[in-house]
Amino acid sequence: MSVPFSPEDRPALALHHRIAPLTTATLARALARLSPRNIRRILQLARLGAAPATIDQALAARQDIIAVSARCAGEHCLQRSLATVLLCRTRGVWPTWRSGVRGEPFRAHAWIEVDGQPIGEPPSTALYHPIITIAHPLRVDRRCPGPSTGTG
């Protein structure tokens, strides 16, 4: 995506807690190379059977991903958001995954959120118009209702 982003501080993570985040970060790097349609299909399947994520669960997963991946701690928001949502899924929960754009200047971004609140993102994330949204089936998407959001 095209959001200017300075690398985040990378917290230390115990060696035995690094396996799942490293695996999902690697998987997310491969997923980020797919078309938006295929990413949507994979995430729609992945979310099945998960409970809705809490803010704390989503933030913990995001911090774990950043701890193990320099790419995810930097400008690679698509890989970071995919890795975070997949790590959440391995923990049995699902936040909302979004990909969106803004104009003037044009920028694209991908992020996760819980209850309409972007997790670990700058306030400017609110300026993005979501194009693809993969929410938990039980969550109501207040920002982008309708079938075009990809929540179906």
Side-chain angles (χ1 to χ4, degrees):
M1 299 289 167
S2 60
V3 162
F5 201 84
S6 58
E8 296 186 37
D9 291 334
R10 296 177 60 205
L13 193 60
L15 186 60
H16 63 285
H17 289 292
R18 297 173 64 88
I19 295 169
L22 277 170
T23 303
T24 55
T26 302
L27 178 59
R29 188 169 184 183
L31 286 177
R33 295 182 179 135
L34 299 177
S35 70
R37 170 182 272 172
N38 287 333
I39 291 172
R40 180 189 326 217
R41 287 178 179 165
I42 290 167
L43 294 184
Q44 285 175 328
L45 287 174
R47 72 181 176 175
L48 297 176
T54 65
I55 290 172
D56 290 340
Q57 289 168 325
L59 185 58
R62 188 179 191 280
Q63 289 172 335
D64 288 352
I65 292 298
I66 289 168
V68 300
S69 173
R71 287 177 60 88
C72 291
E75 294 184 9
H76 298 273
C77 62
L78 179 58
Q79 183 180 345
R80 177 178 55 249
S81 65
L82 289 170
T84 302
V85 79
L86 293 173
L87 183 57
C88 283
R89 183 59 187 99
T90 67
R91 295 172 177 176
V93 297
W94 190 264
T96 297
W97 180 85
R98 290 193 190 272
S99 178
V101 296
R102 66 182 261 192
E104 309 228 5
F106 175 81
R107 299 221 190 269
H109 189 45
W111 67 98
I112 63 162
E113 58 184 52
V114 174
D115 294 330
Q117 178 181 342
I119 303 299
E121 299 291 331
S124 62
T125 303
L127 301 174
Y128 288 85
H129 174 72
I131 302 297
I132 302 173
T133 296
I134 309 296
H136 187 277
L138 299 178
R139 290 204 193 266
V140 175
D141 185 2
R142 295 177 200 96
R143 270 183 79 182
C144 242
S148 64
T149 63
T151 58

